Amino acid sequence: MTSARSVTRSAPSSVRVETVTSSLLTVQTSGAGFIDITREVGKFLSEIGAREGALTLFIRHTSASLTIQENADPSVLVDLMTTLDRLAPKDFNWTHDTEGPDDMPAHVRTMLTATSLHVPVLSGELALGTWQGIYLIEHRARPHRREVVLQFVGAT
């Protein structure tokens, strides 16, 4: 085991929680794939005048999910979708197939990813890394209307 050569931490900062603000983001998907929702989430924070706090995103579905991933090279998203296709293939002998052959693999893919995210908000901005974006992942082949609950807790 190696030890870290240099570890630093900024001084703690505190704010009094002044507000809890929620909004429902509706996304019309066009079928399976990643949809970057970072800009819309940022607009929500700007509209409410968020300063310091935390943002929770929660998707209200069991066959779509949320993730934070690289937003610079689109081939990352292609490779991630290929990996999900291999982990939960549509042509597997699934027991649950009432809603079509892509429904059960969509549930598995949602279980492997996330239905909620928590992102710190610092100085009114999402505290994402340089190459990070927030994505809704549609796991079904056909278009769907998806709802993401946005909830900011903090100072405005």
Side-chain angles (χ1 to χ4, degrees):
M1 180 175 185
T2 60
S3 61
R5 293 185 186 261
S6 175
V7 176
T8 61
R9 179 179 56 80
S10 67
S13 64
S14 298
V15 297
R16 180 172 300 269
V17 173
E18 299 172 359
T19 186
V20 176
T21 306
S22 303
S23 183
L24 186 64
L25 177 64
T26 302
V27 179
Q28 181 63 50
T29 70
S30 59
F34 287 77
I35 300 149
D36 190 342
I37 61 171
T38 312
R39 185 169 287 136
E40 287 302 318
V41 172
K43 285 180 187 177
F44 165 69
L45 295 174
S46 178
E47 286 173 11
I48 66 169
R51 290 192 335 252
E52 304 287 327
L55 177 70
T56 300
L57 299 89
F58 175 77
I59 191 161
R60 299 170 64 172
H61 305 279
T62 59
S63 58
S65 58
L66 300 168
T67 192
I68 295 175
Q69 264 307 328
E70 179 174 330
N71 63 2
D73 183 352
S75 69
V76 170
L77 302 179
V78 171
D79 288 343
L80 289 170
M81 190 57 78
T82 299
T83 300
L84 288 172
D85 288 342
R86 289 180 182 158
L87 292 172
K90 293 178 187 124
D91 60 355
F92 188 76
N93 190 22
W94 301 107
T95 303
H96 171 73
D97 63 359
T98 309
E99 297 177 57
D102 67 336
D103 188 46
M104 190 59 218
H107 292 303
V108 173
R109 293 166 191 212
T110 296
M111 184 178 70
L112 293 172
T113 51
T115 54
S116 67
L117 300 173
H118 179 88
V119 182
V121 176
L122 304 172
S123 301
E125 301 290 327
L126 294 163
L128 296 172
T130 302
W131 307 115
Q132 290 181 318
I134 301 171
Y135 293 89
L136 183 152
I137 313 170
E138 176 59 69
H139 299 299
R140 299 295 304 271
R142 63 181 172 80
H144 282 80
R145 183 177 169 269
R146 301 302 191 175
E147 295 178 343
V148 179
V149 177
L150 307 175
Q151 188 171 71
F152 173 77
V153 177
T156 53

